[in-house]
Amino acid sequence: MSKRQISLRGKDILGLEMMTVPEIEVILETACQMKGIIDRDIKKVPTLRGKSIVNLFFEASTRTRTSFELAGKYLGADVVNITASASSVTKGESLRDTLYTVEAMGVDVIVMRHEAEGAAQYAANVASPVIINAGDGAHEHPTQGLLDMFTMKEVKGKLDGLKVAIVGDIFHSRVARSNIWGLLKMGAEVHLAGPKTLMPYYIQEVGVHVHNRVEEALEGADVVNVLRIQRERQHKGLFPSAREYARIFGINQARLDLAKPDALIMHPGPMNRGLEISPDVAYGDQSVIQEQVKNGLAIRMAALFLVLTGGKNIETTA
Ligand code: NCD
């Protein structure tokens, strides 16, 4: 399939497990062009004028929600945010009825975050607007996987053959799952490390390397992607204490020195500084955590642009 034939127009973005390599490549390439718009003094372009986007968030978010909102606005669309805690969901409305309500207003795209795995697929089944999954429980967070790959490729020049270590709470992490699917498709080598209680028992079967000791995963790595400990998804103590976790699995400079000297440090945010990552590493020379946030905006602009237009030329003047 040539890249020319790829069109994401009208397609839901539910996860990287079901996305093809050409589709991933088109989004990464389009995000490059979008970065040019973000760097301008006046960012607004009319490309998506007349389109409407609703951010429907049932879980907390800073980066993802804000970047989808700005992404839509920079491209000229109208963007509305619905936060579950301030919506009729608190009055007992079901997800289906909330989706129907949003749909009835003629919305083109629903960007949805929900605590249940499969919620985005459900929304795609019942509602007609394009659905972009902004995180469904521990399942997937495709635009985070894409922005992480974009950041790696931007600095390292390629994804194929990179050794990427993903460290921490793999079990509860939709970021890890989207990274794993995307990186494996793009030819990277994925190494996972974390406490056994936070490692899905089936994960080896998808083609990743699983390590009990974090040091083994870090050795010679090109990229170290550190995950947040997801306390809100842990219903029982899965590791003895925060102090012990930091001591055995926390990424500090001594551990980072096991990776390649130019290895990148990444974290999707929000960070528990001092727990999964030490402050000097989080803000050190190798950290691209702030760059990830900027790239998140470019990836979300690309995703909205591609699902709404199929990738026609970007109109660059207002
Ligand atoms: C992640 C999420 O919500 O899945 N954050 C994000 O989108 N930047 C990761 C996390 O919450 O740990």
Side-chain angles (χ1 to χ4, degrees), residues 57-76:
F57 275 58
F58 294 86
E59 273 193 341
S61 172
T62 306
R63 278 151 276 261
T64 307
R65 197 195 55 68
T66 311
S67 58
F68 267 114
E69 180 174 356
L70 285 177
K73 288 182 170 168
Y74 287 173
L75 291 172

Side-chain angles (χ1 to χ4, degrees), residues 60 63-64 113 141 144 174-175 228 230 232-233 268-270:
R63 278 151 276 261
T64 307
R113 170 170 286 191
H141 189 357
Q144 181 72 42
R174 52 197 177 207
V175 176
R228 183 175 64 89
Q230 310 234 339
E232 76 277 20
R233 296 191 212 285

Side-chain angles (χ1 to χ4, degrees), residues 80 82 87 199 212 219 226-227 239 269 283:
V80 172
I82 302 177
S87 75
M199 188 66 71
N212 292 330
E219 227 157 85
V226 187
L227 302 172
F239 55 89
Y283 295 112

